[in-house]
């Protein structure tokens, strides 16, 4: 496995590096959290082993960045004896496991953890291979809820067109899977589907990744390289975290959307490609335009069609099918798939799921791997890994909500107080009627 070690103790880095190379891992070791982020942006990794406490950016900061930008990378947290409580909290926020640093440091426990992780990643890969070409059957985002069924109908309607699409939704809600579904239902289904996270690649490398480069275009360009746009010819290119794209790149992307033309870095040649662009963001992209961080002409060009992926908290009806699917993907060949009892399911439904489907998958995976039981998942098993749910008095506490969610709830409250009278609601909100209608459409409240 391609493994990144982040630890400010040189001795720990040296012991880990030697031990993991003996296991056949490709290893990179750095001593600071920010240096780790830079390494993640510069090259692909499967796993990060990071110390919890470090000067500057600590392990929590690394974990948060990985969860937001490279969720397919697994994080193992190293901690001292006194930090176990913090490490357990890190697991609840996306870390795969935590390992206590003994004195002297023993790399054997890390080897054991990595071997277990290899098995899990192999199962994930096997499951993805089994589903290859069948994203319409992937219930990781599917389910009977009205919000999801409405989204599937919208996807089926816009898929046959070649127009660019903007997908909006919270982190972990399944935007990429929706993009894959869009590709599978389109006329381009026989072509490639390629994806890149615009926030996970350094600004210097993003242009080369998208458009390719010529030999000698910059230091380290020892030969020509084909970009993702050329590689996606006849298919779909998914640009995740589109709002993180730097300004000069936005100009180049706009040109491609207008003319299907692009120019590799360091080249004077203008090339063409037939590629459908699908962008995604978890940010309020209109607000980014107001802040001058995103071009308004690019927004008008790329949001020809906008799809909203509902957060998990709006999809209570989908939980049984989602959990059943996750448990199926974690089943070891030859063993019996676990189920979940009613009370344990209710425990899961009380949680707000800020990390959405991705967080649900992480929680179920932790339960399965940490418990030797073979029967239905119990409430006790859920309680061991799930953050404590908020009490009834805190359901309207805005501290854990996005700005969009706060605005959506306030509009609902005002509409309810106005008995559904939109004219009166607009007056109460101090906005004009057309703005209210636009917001209702944005939050799928116009049905």
């Amino acid at each position: 496995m391609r493994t990144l070690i982040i630890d400010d103790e040189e001795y720990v880095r040296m012991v880990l590096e030697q031990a993991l190379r003996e296991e056949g891992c490709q290893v990179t070791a750095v001593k600071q959290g920010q240096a780790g982020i830079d390494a993640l942006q510069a090259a692909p990794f499967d796993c990060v082993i990071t110390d919890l406490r470090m000067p500057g950016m600590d392990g929590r900061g690394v974990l948060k960045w990985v969860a937001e930008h490279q969720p397919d990378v697994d994080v193992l947290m190293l901690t001292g004896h006194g930090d176990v409580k913090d490490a357990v909290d890190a697991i609840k926020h996306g870390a795969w496991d935590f390992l206590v640093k003994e004195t002297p440091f023993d790399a054997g426990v890390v080897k054991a953890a990595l071997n277990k992780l290899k098995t899990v990643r192999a199962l994930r890969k096997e499951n993805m291979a089994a589903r290859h070409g069948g994203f319409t059957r992937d219930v990781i985002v599917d389910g009977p809820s009205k919000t999801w069924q409405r989204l599937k109908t919208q996807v089926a309607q816009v898929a046959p067109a070649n127009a660019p699409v903007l997908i909006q939704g919270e982190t972990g809600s399944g935007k990429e899977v929706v993009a894959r579904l869009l590709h599978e239902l389109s006329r381009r289904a026989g072509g490639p589907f390629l994806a890149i996270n615009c926030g996970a690649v350094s600004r210097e490398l993003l242009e080369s990744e998208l458009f390719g480069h010529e030999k000698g275009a910059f230091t380290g360009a020892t030969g020509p390289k084909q970009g993702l746009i050329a590689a996606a010819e006849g298919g779909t290119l998914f640009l995740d975290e589109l709002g993180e794209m730097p300004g000069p790149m936005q100009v180049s992307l706009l040109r491609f959307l207008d003319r299907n033309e692009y120019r590799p870095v360091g080249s004077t040649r203008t090339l063409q490609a037939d590629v459908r662009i699908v962008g995604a963001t978890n940010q309020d992209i209109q607000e980014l335009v107001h802040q001058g961080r995103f071009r308004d002409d690019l927004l008008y060009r790329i949001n020809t069609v906008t799809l909203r992926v509902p957060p998990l908290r709006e999809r209570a009806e989908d939980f049984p099918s989602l959990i059943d699917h996750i448990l199926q993907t974690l089943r070891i060949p030859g063993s019996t798939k676990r189920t979940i009892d009613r009370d344990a399911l209710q425990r899961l439904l009380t949680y707000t799921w800020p990390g959405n489907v991705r967080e649900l998958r992480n929680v179920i995976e932790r339960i399965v791997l940490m418990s030797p039981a073979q029967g239905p998942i119990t409430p006790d098993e859920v309680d061991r890994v799930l953050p404590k749910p908020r009490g009834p008095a805190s359901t309207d506490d805005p501290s854990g909500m996005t700005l969009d969610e706060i605005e959506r709830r306030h509009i609902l409250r005002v509409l309810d107080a106005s008995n559904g009278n939109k004219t009166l609601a607009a007056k109460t909100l101090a906005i004009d009627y057309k703005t209210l209608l636009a917001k209702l459409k944005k939050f799928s409240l116009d049905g």
Side-chain angles (χ1 to χ4, degrees), residues 23-154:
E23 292 292 307
C25 295
Q26 300 176 27
V27 184
T28 299
V30 298
K31 64 180 181 179
Q32 295 177 330
Q34 186 56 55
I37 301 302
D38 295 340
L40 286 162
Q41 290 181 304
F45 288 92
D46 301 305
C47 172
V48 173
I49 302 174
T50 179
D51 194 9
L52 175 61
R53 298 192 182 278
M54 296 180 290
M57 179 183 287
D58 63 6
R60 293 185 191 86
V62 173
L63 174 63
K64 181 179 179 182
W65 189 93
V66 171
E68 292 178 354
H69 296 89
Q70 297 186 7
D72 291 333
V73 176
D74 290 294
V75 177
L76 277 74
M77 194 74 72
L78 293 175
T79 177
H81 284 281
D83 299 327
V84 171
K85 183 178 179 181
D86 290 333
V88 172
D89 184 66
I91 285 178
K92 293 177 180 178
H93 289 85
W96 192 82
D97 204 350
F98 76 91
L99 308 169
V100 178
K101 289 197 286 188
E102 304 284 352
T103 303
F105 182 65
D106 179 12
V109 291
V110 180
K111 287 184 178 181
L114 275 185
N115 284 329
K116 184 186 290 187
L117 179 56
K118 284 180 182 178
T119 301
V120 172
R121 291 186 69 91
L123 287 172
R124 290 180 195 158
K125 187 175 181 181
E126 178 182 322
N127 181 261
M128 286 299 295
R131 300 200 311 271
H132 180 68
F135 292 104
T136 53
R137 299 185 297 276
D138 187 358
V139 294
I140 196 65
V141 293
D142 207 352
S145 66
K146 290 183 180 179
T147 52
W148 172 248
Q149 293 302 319
R150 185 186 302 119
L151 176 60
K152 281 209 306 185
T153 300
Q154 293 172 340

Side-chain angles (χ1 to χ4, degrees), residues 330-362:
L330 295 172
R331 185 183 68 85
I332 298 174
S335 67
T336 302
K337 184 189 75 176
R338 295 198 67 184
T339 57
I340 184 166
D341 75 24
R342 184 180 301 176
D343 290 338
L345 177 60
Q346 287 302 314
R347 288 279 208 283
L348 295 175
L349 288 171
T350 63
Y351 183 54
T352 55
W353 300 104
N356 292 293
V357 179
R358 184 181 300 151
E359 185 181 11
L360 175 64
R361 181 174 58 194
N362 180 272

Side-chain angles (χ1 to χ4, degrees), residues 258-274:
D258 283 339
R259 307 179 186 176
N260 290 334
E261 293 180 350
Y262 69 99
R263 187 174 297 165
V265 179
S267 175
T268 58
R269 298 176 299 142
T270 297
L271 306 178
Q272 288 194 321
D274 175 24

Side-chain angles (χ1 to χ4, degrees), residues 244-295:
E244 299 294 330
M245 180 174 284
M249 281 296 304
Q250 293 178 27
V251 176
S252 300
L253 178 60
L254 179 62
R255 177 182 181 183
F256 178 74
L257 288 170
D258 283 339
R259 307 179 186 176
N260 290 334
E261 293 180 350
Y262 69 99
R263 187 174 297 165
V265 179
S267 175
T268 58
R269 298 176 299 142
T270 297
L271 306 178
Q272 288 194 321
D274 175 24
V275 177
R276 185 183 198 176
I277 299 294
V278 177
T281 179
N282 60 2
Q283 303 182 69
D284 183 344
I285 205 160
Q286 190 67 59
E287 179 61 26
L288 296 182
V289 171
H290 292 325
Q291 296 174 6
R293 294 169 54 194
F294 199 85
R295 295 180 61 95

